[in-house]
């Protein structure tokens, strides 16, 4: 019932802040439209740490980015003029479409210190929406992000629709993305509502379709079969998937169904033709010239 288990690989975002990269993986590039999945932290940051740990302004095309935190805080600034803090249980959803730039900085943590822990995901846009106008949405509260409790489990639907629930997040293709906090011994069935599904253990250990997963492992499930998820100790679980999105190319922060479009975006960034955020325009992330297609 498990097609593949993928472990996170350590990746330095710069300045010493490391993440665990799960997707893309050479043998499994996407799960539904989810083309990128980074596990941030957990990391304890003391007040006054260097700004080099921040994610400086950088560009994107062809995706929606999803920031979701368990602990800590981040400040988002983008070329649309948006400045938005995000805190645990909230969602920052940025449609990059034809092109946007943004930064994510640890303003709160630098002043007060913080325990940082969360997930950064990218959702590939369908071909007909790849050049959509960029947009930014912030969501919080159960009115936007349905929450529920059942025996030993507290859940939140971050995006999409599943099991009769629908998130207020604007998605462009059929998908779902959930957060489960599970007590030790809690168990739940993940139904076959979507063709492609995966379960990620962000903290703790869990048995998924009869196989034990530890922190930092993702189980990609076989289609068409229910899968049981049982927490062997208190666990934080992310469940995601959707309809297949088709082939996508990825170079650095650029995602598209067309390599020509990616090459255009690379040159636009090199030549300074993509506007920086008004509230964060004194530095930027250069294109990494040693980077090749993922």
């Amino acid at each position: 019932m498990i097609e593949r288990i993928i472990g996170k690989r350590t990746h330095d975002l710069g300045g010493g802040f490391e993440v665990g990269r799960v997707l893309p993986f050479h043998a499994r590039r996407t799960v539904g439209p989810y083309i990128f999945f980074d596990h941030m932290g957990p990391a304890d940051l003391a007040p006054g740490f260097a700004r080099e740990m921040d994610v400086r302004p950088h560009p994107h095309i062809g995706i929606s980015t999803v920031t979701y935190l368990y602990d800590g805080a981040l400040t988002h600034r983008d070329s649309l003029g948006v400045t938005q803090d995000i805190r645990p249980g909230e969602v920052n959803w940025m449609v990059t479409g034809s092109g946007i730039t943004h930064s994510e900085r640890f303003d709160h943590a630098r002043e007060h210190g913080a325990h940082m822990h969360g997930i950064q995901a990218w959702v590939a846009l369908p071909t007909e929406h790849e050049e959509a106008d960029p947009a930014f949405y912030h969501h919080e509260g159960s009115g936007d992000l349905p929450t529920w409790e059942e025996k030993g489990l507290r859940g939140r639907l971050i995006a999409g629709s599943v099991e009769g629930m629908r998130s207020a997040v604007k998605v462009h293709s059929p998908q779902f993305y959930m957060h489960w906090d599970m007590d030790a011994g809690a168990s739940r069935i993940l139904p076959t509502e979507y063709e492609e599904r995966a379960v990620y253990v962000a903290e703790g250990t869990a048995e998924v379709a009869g196989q034990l997963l530890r922190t930092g492992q993702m189980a990609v499930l076989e289609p068409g079969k229910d899968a049981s998820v049982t927490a062997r100790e208190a666990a934080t679980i992310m469940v995601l998937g959707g309809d297949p999105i088709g082939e996508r190319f990825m170079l650095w922060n650029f995602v598209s169904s067309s390599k020509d479009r990616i090459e255009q975006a690379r040159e636009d960034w090199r030549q300074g033709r993509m506007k920086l955020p008004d509230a964060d325009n004194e530095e930027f992330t250069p294109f990494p010239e040693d980077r090749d297609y993922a």
Side-chain angles (χ1 to χ4, degrees):
M1 295 173 66
I2 290 180
E3 177 184 300
R4 182 175 301 276
I5 294 177
I6 304 171
K8 67 180 183 179
R9 292 94 60 202
T10 301
H11 182 78
D12 192 339
L13 293 182
F17 188 72
E18 293 184 343
V19 299
R21 182 149 300 164
V22 184
L23 296 175
F25 182 64
H26 67 89
R28 182 74 196 213
R29 298 184 53 78
T30 60
V31 177
Y34 289 81
I35 194 168
F36 181 95
F37 195 91
D38 264 6
H39 186 170
M40 304 180 291
D44 291 311
L45 304 180
F49 60 87
R51 284 175 59 87
E52 283 74 21
M53 288 188 68
D54 290 348
V55 181
R56 295 174 293 168
H58 59 280
H60 290 285
I61 64 166
I63 55 173
S64 294
T65 66
V66 195
T67 304
Y68 185 81
L69 298 179
Y70 311 119
D71 290 291
L74 283 171
T75 300
H76 163 99
R77 297 178 178 89
D78 66 39
S79 52
L80 299 176
V82 175
T83 296
Q84 177 67 58
D85 291 334
I86 181 171
R87 298 184 184 279
E90 302 174 353
V91 172
N92 276 2
W93 187 278
M94 185 175 71
V95 181
T96 72
S98 60
I100 194 171
T101 69
H102 77 130
S103 65
E104 288 181 306
R105 295 191 181 272
F106 299 104
D107 292 357
H108 177 84
R110 185 169 294 105
E111 183 175 355
H112 304 285
H115 181 71
M116 292 298 307
H117 192 198
I119 301 289
Q120 178 80 46
W122 296 356
V123 182
L125 293 170
T127 305
E128 63 270 24
H129 295 293
E130 284 185 301
E131 296 299 320
D133 291 338
F136 178 87
Y137 305 96
H138 176 80
H139 295 276
E140 57 184 273
S142 58
D144 279 5
L145 310 171
T147 58
W148 75 97
E149 293 189 15
E150 53 195 70
K151 187 177 180 181
L153 182 148
R154 295 153 300 282
R156 175 179 290 111
L157 178 60
I158 297 169
S161 60
V162 69
E163 298 179 353
M165 298 179 290
R166 181 177 297 275
S167 166
V169 170
K170 181 180 179 180
V171 298
H172 291 82
S173 66
Q175 63 187 271
F176 74 101
Y177 186 24
M178 290 190 284
H179 169 198
W180 297 348
D181 278 328
M182 304 180 74
D183 297 336
S187 187
R188 199 179 199 281
I189 296 294
L190 180 62
T192 60
E193 197 165 335
Y194 291 91
E195 180 178 347
E196 298 188 357
R197 301 161 299 153
V199 178
Y200 179 72
V201 180
E203 194 167 26
T205 58
E207 188 175 294
V208 179
Q211 295 192 42
L212 187 67
L213 263 66
R214 304 186 185 281
T215 300
Q217 290 185 310
M218 174 180 283
V220 180
L221 304 176
E222 293 182 0
K225 298 179 181 178
D226 288 349
S228 63
V229 180
T230 302
R232 291 306 176 202
E233 58 181 318
T236 300
I237 306 292
M238 305 302 279
V239 192
L240 61 147
D243 290 352
I245 198 67
E247 184 180 30
R248 289 295 182 273
F249 303 104
M250 180 188 299
L251 177 64
W252 190 42
N253 297 318
F254 304 131
V255 175
S256 178
S257 58
S258 164
K259 279 191 174 182
D260 288 343
R261 179 65 182 93
I262 288 178
E263 292 303 323
Q264 176 192 334
R266 170 161 57 176
E267 194 60 21
D268 286 345
W269 185 243
R270 282 171 169 167
Q271 299 302 322
R273 293 192 289 257
M274 298 182 74
K275 179 180 179 290
L276 295 176
D278 289 333
D280 194 351
N281 59 12
E282 294 185 0
E283 59 178 345
F284 62 90
T285 306
F287 180 84
E289 297 297 339
D290 61 345
R291 189 68 56 89
D292 202 352
Y293 284 86

